[in-house]
Amino acid sequence: MANADWQAKWDDRDKQGAEARTLNEAAERTKEQTYQQSINKSVQDGQRTIDQATADAAAARASADVLRGGGQRPCCSTRNQ
């Protein structure tokens, strides 16, 4: 085989390798984006849970204060004066 034939084969192999790398990189990016979206959703769900728990705790404290007589219910605030 002539040197030009070998060079053409190497060039073809290099081209195929570059195309394969490009396809593989695109597939890996897609996977990474899917993972990141999953992580973002988990973080958002966790933050919603924390926010709800915080609101529930505040409501429970307010109810406990009313039951202990430390707070007044809006419907009864004028009755005790």
Side-chain angles (χ1 to χ4, degrees):
M1 261 191 190
N3 192 28
D5 291 338
W6 281 110
Q7 187 62 47
K9 286 187 180 202
W10 280 108
D11 289 346
D12 187 47
R13 182 196 63 90
D14 289 346
K15 181 182 173 187
Q16 289 176 1
E19 289 171 355
R21 279 190 301 278
T22 298
L23 291 173
N24 186 53
E25 186 176 312
E28 290 300 317
R29 282 186 180 154
T30 299
K31 275 196 243 178
E32 184 178 345
Q33 288 173 348
T34 300
Y35 294 147
Q36 188 62 49
Q37 288 171 352
S38 177
I39 290 167
N40 292 347
K41 184 179 182 316
S42 294
V43 168
Q44 289 172 346
D45 290 348
Q47 188 60 53
R48 262 193 295 274
T49 300
I50 290 168
D51 293 344
Q52 185 61 51
T54 301
D56 291 347
R61 277 192 301 276
S63 293
D65 287 346
V66 168
L67 291 174
R68 285 191 297 259
Q72 292 184 337
R73 288 179 275 180
C75 68
C76 304
S77 60
T78 58
R79 194 182 298 168
N80 294 333
Q81 293 179 351

